[in-house]
Amino acid sequence: MKKLILSLLASLVLVIMLGFQQQDFSDREAMIQAKVSERVEDYRLNLLKRCWDKVMKEASARVDSILIVRSEEIHTVDSIPRPVKPVKPYKPEVPLLDKTEPIAPVLGNGGGR
């Protein structure tokens, strides 16, 4: 029984002694400061990337619109001009048939010999 009381008393004294010790918070503050600095740097890089993407998107839209406007000013890049439109061949007049006549080819009298 004395051993049990002695061990409980020793453990209680040990807990009290550890409770009153001064802890070194300098390492903890340094870790917190490093984590804050890391998060601030990540935020700054993320913000910079978003701004860069926005600027590049706007620049791309402006360049595309400028190229479209200028492409209308440039007539051709090719040195070969387009050929002229061909002339349609002469279309012979074919006499109209009466609706009572049977349909037969209208060719001359030769028949094919």
Side-chain angles (χ1 to χ4, degrees):
M1 178 87 171
K2 282 185 176 183
K3 287 184 181 181
L4 179 63
I5 292 174
L6 188 60
S7 64
L8 285 175
L9 187 58
S11 62
L12 181 63
V13 169
L14 183 64
V15 168
I16 290 173
M17 285 176 54
L18 289 175
F20 285 110
Q21 277 189 343
Q22 294 219 355
Q23 295 180 355
D24 187 19
F25 290 110
S26 63
D27 290 341
R28 186 174 181 196
E29 290 296 324
M31 286 176 35
I32 291 173
Q33 196 62 21
K35 191 66 173 177
V36 167
S37 298
E38 180 184 336
R39 291 189 69 190
V40 166
E41 184 65 21
D42 286 346
Y43 178 76
R44 189 184 70 77
L45 290 176
N46 190 15
L47 185 64
L48 187 65
K49 182 183 180 302
R50 283 188 289 158
C51 289
W52 180 261
D53 290 343
K54 186 177 178 182
V55 166
M56 291 305 288
K57 186 176 180 181
E58 178 69 25
S60 176
R62 287 187 185 197
V63 166
D64 289 346
S65 64
I66 290 171
L67 288 175
I68 289 171
V69 168
R70 287 199 178 169
S71 69
E72 294 171 357
E73 296 172 2
I74 301 171
H75 298 292
T76 58
V77 177
D78 196 6
S79 61
I80 301 173
R82 294 177 99 184
V84 293
K85 201 171 185 180
V87 180
K88 290 186 177 180
Y90 172 73
K91 185 176 180 183
E93 275 191 38
V94 177
L96 296 175
L97 301 174
D98 289 336
K99 291 187 178 185
T100 57
E101 294 180 26
I103 298 177
V106 180
L107 298 175
N109 291 347
R113 288 187 193 188

